[in-house]
Amino acid sequence: MAREKRATPGRKAAKAPEERIRARNEAAILKAAVNLFARKGFDGTRIAEIAKASKLPKANVYYYFETKEAIYARLIERLLSGWDSALEHIRADREPREAIADYIAAKLEYSRKNAVESRFFANEMLRGGGFLSRTQRRHIQDVTHERVEVVENWIREGKLRKIDPKHLFIMLWASTQFYADSAEVAAMTLDRTSLRRTDYDNARDTIVDVILGGCLPVAGEHGPTND
Amino acid sequence: MAREKRATPGRKAAKAPEERIRARNEAAILKAAVNLFARKGFDGTRIAEIAKASKLPKANVYYYFETKEAIYARLIERLLSGWDSALEHIRADREPREAIADYIAAKLEYSRKNAVESRFFANEMLRGGGFLSRTQRRHIQDVTHERVEVVENWIREGKLRKIDPKHLFIMLWASTQFYADSAEVAAMTLDRTSLRRTDYDNARDTIVDVILGGCLPVAGEHGPTND
DNA sequence: TCAGAAGTTGACTTTTTGGTCAGCTTTTGG
DNA sequence: CCAAAAGCTGACCAAAAAGTCAACTTCTGA
């Protein structure tokens, strides 16, 4: 899709980098692949399927990628570079209430817009995460630790109740990813055939409500003032 | 394994139903299969692998099961019969505090003891749940609805804050299943190579703490008195 | 004891899959 | 304009997978 005409009709027609054939076809292959990997996992996905889904002959897929592993590895790499983006909200200079609420909203929005990538990652986890390199594992750990410390600080400052930050993060990941990874169960629960925007909004409100209610100190107010 | 001698050396040697050859071999096949399906999904699992893992010749696997689908379907069926067991804790005649705490503990214990089954189910969800029959979907919906009503009643009675029960259940499922389905991420987060019992205990305490803190009314106390 | 039922299995066929390749067409830079 | 580089692909192959089967052994009830 989005086959645009050359923007510069001049003599040289310098094309944008993304318009180059290689970039375009690799993108098509990766897009098709992430969909299939997300559904069927690494072992269950056939190269021929990827070829068909990306509307390229199988041999052409091999022209761009050495092996199936190479495709998978590229996707893992791409995914991990965005792993921490939502976590940016958890910053020491912010108020936990807003920071956590923003994090939940961002993660849920990611689940909504990038359900495929989320499922792809979930599938890799089900496989045992064997495709993650030592470096990539460390990356996840480092980024997590960094934010765990922020939460620990909030607790020390009395801005949060004394709660194990690591398990709290797990709760947040799990609750937000569920709407992508197990969208069918979520939809069944909500009596839908598929999730709608309002479902995500309600999910966000509920998660924020419960998490903040369970984390913020028991002083005066405990949540948003709207009923 | 577990090749036992006949218990009754008498003339008739009436054997227990489970000792019958068919039962034993089917069990071996299903056990091997659920492990493989959990890791590699339906499409990624080879019959030969199942045969090897169950220490039977491939032809013997085909003797007991028509197709791979048949094995998978049997496992789905078996799994769903235990789907609601943890939900039994959510009963109208109980106090929400204990009921929810018990539910979380039970679900987490299931994740710990039956991680394989949990992953198998997660894999089926990633596939889109296409293997679930209409009846099975309805079963999930019905059971859920039943318990949603209990929670709604608690809310009406003022025993719980006004929170969307469906999304609450999703939070509970997600948070507890994560420790089975994404055990590797959980372990990474907790700086472990694999999860230990104490990790599950801490998970339970944290989840119970946060969920109850976020759900119970804001009156006097808000959680367990132990610090 | 013994005939039929149940269980076992190596070897086989067919189908699918990952991967290759030679020769073709298109694009590109000068 | 043109040669080289990049891109394309039908046809092919070897390996692996699914699935079959006939001959065999073991079990069971009468």
Side-chain angles (χ1 to χ4, degrees):
Chain A
M1 63 198 77
R3 152 81 80 129
E4 284 150 305
K5 290 212 170 72
R6 193 68 1 90
T8 42
R11 78 150 102 205
K12 233 2 189 323
K15 59 193 55 164
E18 305 320 332
E19 181 59 14
R20 285 189 310 216
I21 296 172
R22 180 166 206 100
R24 174 163 34 97
N25 283 345
E26 283 189 358
I29 292 166
L30 289 173
K31 186 176 178 182
V34 75
N35 261 293
L36 287 160
F37 284 142
R39 291 279 167 189
K40 307 179 159 204
F42 179 78
D43 296 292
T45 300
R46 316 292 149 191
I47 295 275
E49 287 179 309
I50 297 176
K52 191 180 173 189
S54 53
K55 289 172 185 169
L56 289 171
K58 191 176 60 156
N60 208 351
V61 173
Y62 277 103
Y63 175 73
Y64 287 109
F65 293 93
E66 288 286 316
T67 58
K68 190 159 73 163
E69 280 85 352
I71 303 177
Y72 199 83
R74 273 276 284 279
L75 289 170
I76 289 274
E77 207 172 337
R78 201 174 69 175
L79 188 71
L80 241 65
S81 68
W83 166 262
D84 29 353
S85 60
L87 275 172
E88 313 259 316
H89 292 285
I90 308 295
R91 286 193 347 247
D93 61 331
R94 301 196 67 198
E95 280 304 303
R97 183 196 305 259
E98 279 81 28
I100 292 173
D102 285 354
Y103 173 78
I104 291 167
K107 202 82 201 324
L108 218 38
E109 188 66 3
Y110 183 86
S111 278
R112 194 176 68 82
K113 284 192 182 159
N114 304 73
V116 174
E117 282 77 8
S118 187
R119 279 164 177 263
F120 170 74
F121 189 70
N123 225 314
E124 171 60 17
M125 284 308 107
L126 248 17
R127 270 182 62 87
F131 244 99
L132 295 177
S133 69
R134 196 173 302 273
T135 319
Q136 290 169 325
R137 284 163 189 273
R138 270 229 75 81
H139 177 71
I140 293 178
Q141 282 186 315
D142 290 348
V143 170
T144 306
H145 270 74
E146 207 178 311
R147 307 301 160 162
V148 163
E149 270 175 39
V150 173
V151 173
E152 275 169 351
N153 231 47
W154 282 338
I155 293 173
R156 244 171 314 206
E157 294 174 42
K159 289 180 173 177
L160 280 186
R161 287 178 49 213
K162 198 178 170 187
I163 281 168
D164 189 322
K166 290 175 178 174
H167 289 288
L168 174 63
F169 273 120
I170 290 175
M171 275 190 81
L172 292 173
W173 286 330
S175 299
T176 50
Q177 285 199 198
F178 194 90
Y179 289 88
D181 304 342
S182 300
E184 279 78 12
V185 179
M188 269 188 259
T189 305
L190 301 168
D191 298 313
R192 290 260 198 273
T193 40
S194 66
L195 296 177
R196 303 176 191 188
R197 171 142 224 167
T198 57
D199 296 322
Y200 286 93
D201 290 343
N202 288 338
R204 183 200 58 210
D205 292 343
T206 305
I207 297 173
V208 167
D209 218 23
V210 172
I211 295 284
L212 288 186
C215 288
L216 293 177
V218 271
E221 77 279 52
H222 57 281
T225 36
N226 54 349
D227 62 338
Chain B
M1 60 194 74
R3 154 79 82 127
E4 284 150 305
K5 289 212 172 73
R6 193 67 3 90
T8 42
R11 78 152 100 201
K12 241 330 159 21
K15 58 193 56 163
E18 304 321 329
E19 179 60 16
R20 284 191 308 219
I21 296 173
R22 180 166 206 100
R24 174 160 36 96
N25 283 345
E26 283 189 357
I29 292 166
L30 290 172
K31 186 176 178 182
V34 75
N35 261 293
L36 287 160
F37 284 142
R39 290 281 167 188
K40 305 179 159 203
F42 179 77
D43 297 290
T45 301
R46 319 289 150 190
I47 296 274
E49 288 179 308
I50 297 177
K52 191 179 172 190
S54 53
K55 289 172 184 168
L56 288 173
K58 192 177 56 155
N60 208 350
V61 173
Y62 277 103
Y63 175 73
Y64 286 109
F65 293 93
E66 288 286 316
T67 58
K68 192 158 70 161
E69 280 85 352
I71 303 178
Y72 199 82
R74 273 276 284 278
L75 288 170
I76 289 273
E77 206 172 339
R78 202 175 67 174
L79 189 69
L80 240 65
S81 67
W83 166 262
D84 30 351
S85 60
L87 275 172
E88 313 260 314
H89 291 285
I90 309 295
R91 288 196 343 250
D93 61 331
R94 300 195 68 196
E95 280 305 304
R97 183 196 305 261
E98 280 82 30
I100 292 173
D102 285 354
Y103 173 77
I104 291 168
K107 203 85 200 322
L108 219 36
E109 188 66 2
Y110 183 85
S111 279
R112 194 175 69 81
K113 285 193 182 159
N114 304 72
V116 174
E117 281 78 8
S118 186
R119 279 165 177 264
F120 170 73
F121 189 70
N123 226 315
E124 171 60 16
M125 284 309 107
L126 248 16
R127 269 183 63 90
F131 245 99
L132 294 177
S133 69
R134 196 173 302 270
T135 319
Q136 290 169 324
R137 285 164 189 273
R138 271 229 73 82
H139 176 70
I140 293 179
Q141 283 186 315
D142 290 347
V143 170
T144 306
H145 270 75
E146 207 178 313
R147 307 302 159 161
V148 162
E149 270 174 38
V150 173
V151 172
E152 274 168 353
N153 231 48
W154 282 337
I155 293 173
R156 246 172 312 213
E157 294 175 42
K159 289 181 173 178
L160 278 187
R161 287 178 48 214
K162 197 179 170 186
I163 281 168
D164 189 323
K166 291 174 178 174
H167 289 288
L168 174 63
F169 273 120
I170 290 176
M171 275 190 82
L172 292 174
W173 285 331
S175 299
T176 49
Q177 284 200 198
F178 195 90
Y179 290 88
D181 303 343
S182 300
E184 280 76 13
V185 179
M188 270 188 256
T189 305
L190 300 169
D191 298 313
R192 292 260 199 272
T193 40
S194 65
L195 295 178
R196 304 177 190 187
R197 173 141 221 170
T198 57
D199 296 323
Y200 285 92
D201 290 343
N202 289 337
R204 183 201 56 210
D205 292 344
T206 305
I207 296 171
V208 168
D209 218 24
V210 172
I211 295 284
L212 289 186
C215 288
L216 293 177
V218 272
E221 75 280 52
H222 57 282
T225 38
N226 53 351
D227 61 338

